[in-house]
């Protein structure tokens, strides 16, 4: 099955809204066309993240990057800071390609999809956007968290824990600042946590739901020792250092891209959306 046939087969059987199908048809056709124009041509089905970054730069982002190439977090940070609308559009294109490669994997056209996490800007939602998931959306989020395993991420236990913590009501900045010294196991098996604020003052106490407590124990079993022994941050990156502030939104974008109804939600699902939703209450919207 070639790239264009896969695109047609996927969209016509996806159940996506017609407007979303039209958007994805346009964006992915743009990528397939760009691949054919390269010398030598690039196979869209075996394209690397570097190819997708080059397409994004050539077709969309070049006017907004001040002459710099789209080759890393600095370019993404520039885009998110100065051109947030373009950053959101870029993230939607990355979501479209993520779902396209998931369809290719599900149909066994390819063995392993490219990891596009590093291509997301992680820009926050626009002001005034709907800031809670409804009941059905929250149920789908639970499914996405549960199916986010080692085939998705090297640090899947950390990733699952981060999103469960968002559902506890911790804000994204609190999740990445959570400190191992402020995790308090309780006699009944539950956990209490307190996240420090920007000034290292402790915030309110959160009594974790059993699902979050189980995720915390799973991550503690595999958590690496920090590079700096003086660092007590709970969630660590590949370098065994604290995570950057944009990481929660990048993670959430990558996770919800695996579920069409969440991936195509407008406004997009962000870390802040999840933090406003909660576990078991009935969101009003």
């Amino acid at each position: 099955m070639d790239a264009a046939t896969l695109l047609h087969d996927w969209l016509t059987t996806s159940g996506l809204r017609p407007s979303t199908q039209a958007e994805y048809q346009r964006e992915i056709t743009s990528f397939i066309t760009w691949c054919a124009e390269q010398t030598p041509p690039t196979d869209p089905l075996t394209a690397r993240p570097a190819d997708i970054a080059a397409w994004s730069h050539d077709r969309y982002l070049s006017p907004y990057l001040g002459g710099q190439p789209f080759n890393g977090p600095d370019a993404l940070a520039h885009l998110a800071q100065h051109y947030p609308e373009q950053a959101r559009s870029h993230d939607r294109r990355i979501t479209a390609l993520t779902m396209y490669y998931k369809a290719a994997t599900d149909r066994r056209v390819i063995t392993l999809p490219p990891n596009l996490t590093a291509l997301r800007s992680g820009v926050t939602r626009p002001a005034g956007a709907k800031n809670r998931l409804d009941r059905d959306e929250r149920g789908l989020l639970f499914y996405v968290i549960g199916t986010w395993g080692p085939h998705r991420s090297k640090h899947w236990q950390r990733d699952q824990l981060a999103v469960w913590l968002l559902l506890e009501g911790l804000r994204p900045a609190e999740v990445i600042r959570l400190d191992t010294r402020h995790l308090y196991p309780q006699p009944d098996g539950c956990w209490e946590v307190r996240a420090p604020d920007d000034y290292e003052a402790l915030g309110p106490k959160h009594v974790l739901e059993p699902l979050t407590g189980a995720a915390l124990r799973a991550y503690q079993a595999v958590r690496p020792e920090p590079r700096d022994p003086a660092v007590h941050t709970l969630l660590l990156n590949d370098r065994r250092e604290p995570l950057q502030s944009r990481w929660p939104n990048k993670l959430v974008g990558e996770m919800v891209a695996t579920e069409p109804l969440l991936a195509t939600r407008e406004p997009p699902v962000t870390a802040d959306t999840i933090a406003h939703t909660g576990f078991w209450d009935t969101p009003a919207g």
Side-chain angles (χ1 to χ4, degrees):
M1 185 182 297
D2 64 19
T5 303
L6 170 65
L7 176 61
H8 178 268
D9 178 70
W10 166 51
L11 290 179
T12 55
T13 60
S14 66
L16 294 169
R17 294 189 296 268
S19 59
T20 302
Q21 289 188 39
E23 178 184 356
Y24 285 9
Q25 175 78 39
R26 181 178 66 253
E27 302 290 12
I28 297 171
T29 298
S30 168
F31 178 62
I32 293 172
T33 302
W34 179 90
C35 288
E37 294 171 351
Q38 303 312 296
T39 306
T42 300
D43 181 355
L45 294 174
T46 58
R48 303 163 300 158
D51 298 315
I52 294 165
W55 161 71
S56 297
H57 176 273
D58 293 351
R59 289 288 195 262
Y60 304 103
L61 302 183
S62 178
Y64 307 105
L65 293 179
Q68 66 177 309
F70 180 32
N71 60 0
D74 289 344
L76 286 168
H78 174 86
L79 188 69
Q81 179 179 356
H82 298 288
Y83 302 100
E85 288 302 323
Q86 284 75 20
R88 278 186 278 270
S89 295
H90 166 73
D91 283 358
R92 287 195 294 272
R93 286 191 288 272
I94 297 304
T95 292
L97 278 169
T98 299
M99 295 179 66
Y100 175 69
Y101 285 118
K102 179 179 184 297
T105 306
D106 291 344
R107 289 162 173 76
R108 299 186 179 180
V109 177
I110 61 175
T111 303
L112 189 67
N115 185 348
L116 305 184
T117 305
L119 298 185
R120 291 183 179 277
S121 71
V123 71
T124 56
R125 65 187 174 88
K130 178 183 175 186
N131 64 357
R132 304 183 81 185
L133 301 179
D134 64 27
R135 189 165 128 183
D136 291 342
E137 291 168 340
R138 184 180 52 193
L140 287 172
L141 178 65
F142 276 42
Y143 169 78
V144 166
I145 300 170
T147 56
W148 188 261
H151 62 299
R152 297 286 184 192
S153 169
K154 175 182 176 183
H155 304 288
W156 61 277
Q157 297 99 329
R158 178 202 63 190
D159 298 348
Q160 285 188 340
L161 174 59
V163 183
W164 290 126
L165 288 167
L166 290 169
L167 279 166
E168 296 284 354
L170 275 74
R171 303 302 294 274
E174 293 176 319
V175 169
I176 63 173
R177 283 197 300 262
L178 201 60
D179 190 309
T180 57
R181 295 169 296 182
H182 303 301
L183 308 175
Y184 311 108
Q186 302 301 301
D188 63 357
C190 292
W191 288 84
E192 293 180 0
V193 304
R194 298 181 71 183
D197 62 18
D198 291 330
Y199 305 99
E200 295 300 320
L202 286 180
K205 177 178 66 178
H206 294 264
V207 180
L208 301 184
E209 293 283 345
L211 282 169
T212 314
L216 174 58
R217 288 189 291 273
Y219 175 61
Q220 286 177 316
V222 298
R223 176 181 177 268
E225 288 297 320
R227 181 181 297 276
D228 180 352
V231 169
H232 301 281
T233 308
L234 176 65
L235 303 181
L236 301 173
N237 63 21
D238 276 330
R239 298 181 300 277
R240 297 181 287 129
E241 297 170 345
L243 294 154
Q244 295 181 330
S245 60
R246 291 186 293 112
W247 178 80
N249 272 316
K250 293 181 72 173
L251 169 66
V252 169
E254 188 73 10
M255 290 180 77
V256 302
T258 65
E259 168 47 54
L261 292 178
L262 294 179
T264 59
R265 180 185 186 266
E266 289 295 338
V269 181
T270 66
D272 200 51
T273 307
I274 297 171
H276 277 87
T277 296
F279 260 88
W280 309 115
D281 61 319
T282 301

